Amino acid sequence: MAKIPRVPVREQAAQERIKNFEEVSYGYNAEEAVLEAHRCIQCKNPRCVQACPVQIKIPEFISAVKNKDFAQAADIIAEDSSLPAICGRVCPQESQCEGSCVLGVKGEPVNIGKLERFVADWGRKENYYNPTKVPTNGFKVAVIGSGPAGLACATDLAKLGYQVKIFEALHLPGGVLEYGIPEFRLPKEEVVRYEINNVIKLGVEIETNVIVGRTITIDDLLDKEGYHAIFLGSGAGLPKFMNIPGENLNGVVSANEFLTRSNLMKAFDSEYDTPIYVGKRVAVVGGGNVAMDAARVARRLGAEVYLVYRRSEKELPARVEEVHHAKEEGIIFKLLNNPVEILGNEKGWVTGMRCVEMGLGEPDESGRRRPIPIKGSEFDIDCDVVIMSLGTSPNPLIASTTPNLNTEKWGGIIIDENTSQTSREGVFAGGDNVTGAATVILAMGAGRKAAEQIDVFIKNKFGKK
Amino acid sequence: MYKIVKKRPLAEQIFLMDIEAPRVAKSAQPGQFVILRVRDKGERIPLTICDYDREKGTVTIVTQCIGVSTHLICEHNEGDYILDFAGPLGQASELIHATDEELANKKILFVGGGVGAAPVYPQVKYLSNRGFKPDVIIGAKSKNYVILEEEMRAVSNNYYITTDDGSYGFKGMVTDKLKELVEKENKKYDLVVTIGPMIMMKFVSLLTKEYGIPTVASLNTLMVDGTGMCGACRVSIGGQTKFTCVDGPEFDAHLVDFDEAMRRQNMYRTIEGQKREELEKNHKCKIGR
Ligand SMILES: Cc1cc2nc3c(=O)[nH]c(=O)nc-3n(C[C@H](O)[C@H](O)[C@H](O)COP(=O)(O)OP(=O)(O)OC[C@H]3O[C@@H](n4cnc5c(N)ncnc54)[C@H](O)[C@@H]3O)c2cc1C
Ligand code: FES
């Protein structure tokens, strides 16, 4: 059976899609999914499951797809993942499940990501899930942040009967799923809103416009509002800058600002009031998913786009599929280049970016070869917008307003690995605020684990009601 | 949804509104701001808190219809709802951390301009409630634009109005009045707090630097989220980049790079201008008539 070649995924043509914000990949239809499912050789000791951060029973769900029993496939995935339509679209499969698929040793791995997406999309279109409220057990849990970590934690707790309320700082729930990842990779109305509605159907309340640490404190929630436990899923939203000359010129923005304007505030649509400045030539600095997203949004808004990254292609942290799509869309990759200064005119607007070429030295702590500037190799890129995408760190707002909540120097909230509990009793945490910017699946996994531990904690401390 | 429980015109194109937002009212402190969004397609607009009533659960804001979005706010009436109202954001004024003894030994002058008089008010009121009425200078274009006069008189020690055209109070700029107070009347101030247009704060700051009076300015930069997530609000303070929404909005005025701040404030101006023209074309504006 392994002779069947990997079933190609239908996509919007690059020339077309750079003119719109509709989804790039159409995903598999039933026929294609079943065919691709036939490629799985059903390993006895499936390495893909080991490589999945939440250990989805991959061969089992694929076997169900092969048998055209999509409902069963959906049930199997649901045992381990609460956001499959999202993860199927945005997980870095090549370094997780698909990266360890045995078929990949000699040929191409099974397209596990697209199969997962197919099953989840099938479930949504067929209205297969109809979550309902379970009777309450009388205990209240507050979840801070409505990104994947918070949503997953809230879902599991609600299913156990907890009264859960999510507090979200922004006006819309979803975290990075809403404000960061663009529509053409993750449709908002169809996928994100649907998942969030399912969480609400379970009885979870979402209160937006509440900035914990400002509007209300963790201690208020515990002491005055009567919550029995709290989960912090506040993400890592604080953008980094390079601290090079010219960074405050007009035309320099963080990728977070650029993407928030475009995704959350829908600035790409002229009916919305929020402005966005794209310019004619954009230089995006960075090589992660965020950088790819910013570059591709800028491209869709009509700019010529350069992606400047200080290491080589091999080290690009972005998903392989995104790099591939970005290239197809005409993003110009300037690899092994690093900005040293942003140039501006007398009015304070960006006119270019001075870069230096980099060589690769010995591997550093991360195991990747350290980039070293090559003396005298400076050159200028003409551009009128620079988008900085250098990573993010946890926002200190909660830590700085919650006494005795311990954090790492870089801002990460410290938790006990086994219990997910922070240094404060009854306060748990997980996702990007603990690990630093990572992935949707890891955040979701952390949220689910914390839910389990919160259940244990509340039962131990307060007994049964 | 957040209900507008009161709306009152303060001057031409300037309105005061009390918004029902119990959580914000409970935590608000002088110096902080809110971010609101009027309608689904609207932008997030930062506005400094002008007053709050913890009992009634209301927060007072003052807006001047100048942009697309402020126009939209002003079009709303008592009983209408605002879609989103988040806050309080930013750091509270340093003054709330001062002891009574410290305040007793400090001669404070507030200098506000335009709608900047509104955010000056809660701080002056706060000090007055603690028994230390400060001096206040408020500058306006002309008599018609003087706002909150009675309220401000009630809580300040000396209250001076300046108008550009001399139609009311002292004729001239707030800096002219400040000069007069310090140089002619020999007033000694230990702290100046200035809130208003960037350009006014810049000149107040230049002057107080000459006099060696420590000065605090409340910066009204561009913002998107207001929680430290985007960096749209970044400013240079003593050569260091800070985020106005979380590190501010108040900063040591003598360290602020006002020229950069003003330039950054205008980054989207042309785009805003275009959108506004479109809006005005499609939609007859009823304000100010
Ligand atoms: C542009 C972009 C593209 C990405 N692409 C991918 C990808 O392709 N694949 C992948 O796996 N991962 C990707 N990631 C990373 C992934 O999105 C994150 O790892 C994941 O969302 C983290 O989830 P979280 O729940 O921990 O935090 P978040 O999603 O960041 O959610 C945190 C939420 O908490 C809220 N919050 C923060 N502070 C407070 C407070 N004080 N009070 C109330 N609410 C608060 C925030 O507003 C936010 O809504 C991407 C990230 C970005 C920015
Ligand atoms: S407004 Fe976004 S960081 Fe300050």
Side-chain angles (χ1 to χ4, degrees), chain B residues 222-233 243-246:
Chain B
L222 292 179
M223 291 194 189
V224 183
D225 58 296
T227 66
M229 204 179 84
C230 74
C233 61
F243 285 12
T244 305
C245 70
V246 285

Side-chain angles (χ1 to χ4, degrees), chain A residues 47 70 110 227 266 309 323:
Chain A
R47 296 196 300 186
F70 305 140
V110 175
Y227 286 95
K266 308 256 184 296
Y309 178 58
V323 175

Side-chain angles (χ1 to χ4, degrees), chain A residues 207 215 225 247 254 272 395, chain B residues 23 27 87 227 230 234 275:
Chain A
E207 188 173 338
T215 316
E225 302 212 6
E247 230 172 357
S254 73
Y272 287 74
N395 193 321
Chain B
R23 283 200 195 276
S27 318
T227 66
C230 74
R234 59 195 195 280
K275 289 214 178 191

Side-chain angles (χ1 to χ4, degrees), chain A residues 86-141:
Chain A
I86 293 168
C87 293
R89 284 174 167 81
V90 305
C91 262
Q93 287 93 2
E94 70 276 4
S95 55
Q96 298 176 6
C97 51
E98 293 179 29
S100 55
C101 174
V102 267
L103 291 192
V105 180
K106 284 204 182 128
E108 287 202 89
V110 175
N111 198 334
I112 303 170
K114 292 295 181 295
L115 286 175
E116 181 188 22
R117 168 178 165 177
F118 165 75
V119 173
D121 287 356
W122 173 88
R124 184 176 67 248
K125 286 176 197 143
E126 296 291 317
N127 236 331
Y128 179 63
Y129 285 110
N130 232 327
T132 46
K133 268 176 94 155
V134 304
T136 163
N137 67 8
F139 293 108
K140 284 171 63 176
V141 181

Side-chain angles (χ1 to χ4, degrees), chain B residues 66-231:
Chain B
I66 36 173
V68 173
S69 299
T70 41
H71 257 91
L72 286 170
I73 306 178
C74 299
E75 282 195 339
H76 281 63
N77 290 313
E78 256 174 43
D80 291 348
Y81 289 82
I82 282 181
L83 197 54
D84 296 294
F85 194 85
L89 294 162
Q91 308 282 343
S93 156
E94 288 277 338
L95 293 170
I96 70 162
H97 303 297
T99 61
D100 282 356
E101 203 189 336
E102 280 163 350
L103 290 180
N105 291 319
K106 226 182 207 155
K107 203 84 184 74
I108 304 175
L109 172 70
F110 283 82
V111 182
V115 266
V120 160
Y121 177 68
Q123 301 208 26
V124 177
K125 179 177 159 187
Y126 170 86
L127 289 173
S128 162
N129 283 346
R130 281 183 65 178
F132 310 98
K133 287 187 175 172
D135 284 1
V136 178
I137 305 176
I138 298 293
K141 238 188 333 198
S142 67
K143 184 165 195 239
N144 294 345
Y145 289 93
V146 175
I147 60 171
L148 298 170
E149 183 180 351
E150 258 172 59
E151 289 88 341
M152 203 78 90
R153 268 193 208 287
V155 290
S156 47
N157 179 30
N158 292 300
Y159 173 68
Y160 311 98
I161 291 176
T162 73
T163 49
D164 297 354
D165 61 1
S167 52
Y168 195 47
F170 177 93
K171 178 173 191 298
M173 314 267 218
V174 288
T175 38
D176 299 328
K177 185 73 205 177
L178 176 57
K179 230 181 238 163
E180 188 183 85
L181 292 181
V182 172
E183 291 178 13
K184 297 222 177 93
E185 299 187 24
N186 273 322
K187 297 241 184 202
K188 296 260 177 296
Y189 292 109
D190 304 301
L191 175 70
V192 168
V193 179
T194 179
I195 312 181
M198 223 45 116
I199 185 87
M200 179 202 89
M201 294 193 285
K202 173 184 166 176
F203 284 106
V204 169
S205 169
L206 284 173
L207 188 60
T208 56
K209 198 167 186 174
E210 246 174 64
Y211 297 147
I213 310 173
T215 300
V216 166
S218 173
L219 303 186
N220 49 333
T221 59
L222 292 179
M223 291 194 189
V224 183
D225 58 296
T227 66
M229 204 179 84
C230 74

Side-chain angles (χ1 to χ4, degrees), chain A residues 171 207 209 214-216 225 238 247-248 250 252 254 256-257 261 271-274 276 347 349 395, chain B residues 23 27 39 41 43-44 84 87-88 90 227-230 232 234 236 260 263-264 267-268 271 275:
Chain A
H171 58 268
E207 188 173 338
N209 298 325
R214 287 272 184 267
T215 316
I216 192 162
E225 302 212 6
L238 204 71
E247 230 172 357
N248 285 348
N250 284 12
V252 184
S254 73
N256 259 13
E257 176 179 349
R261 285 180 185 276
E271 290 206 358
Y272 287 74
D273 296 341
T274 302
I276 191 163
K347 287 192 175 145
W349 285 81
N395 193 321
Chain B
R23 283 200 195 276
S27 318
R39 54 161 193 165
K41 292 183 174 155
E43 55 181 332
R44 293 171 63 92
D84 296 294
T227 66
M229 204 179 84
C230 74
R234 59 195 195 280
S236 294
E260 180 190 284
R263 161 167 64 67
R264 289 186 54 78
M267 187 161 151
Y268 293 94
I271 306 172
K275 289 214 178 191

Side-chain angles (χ1 to χ4, degrees), chain A residues 352-369:
Chain A
M353 186 163 78
R354 182 153 300 157
C355 297
V356 59
E357 287 174 21
M358 309 292 274
L360 288 180
E362 295 296 306
D364 61 13
E365 322 80 68
S366 73
R368 299 179 300 178
R369 291 177 62 192

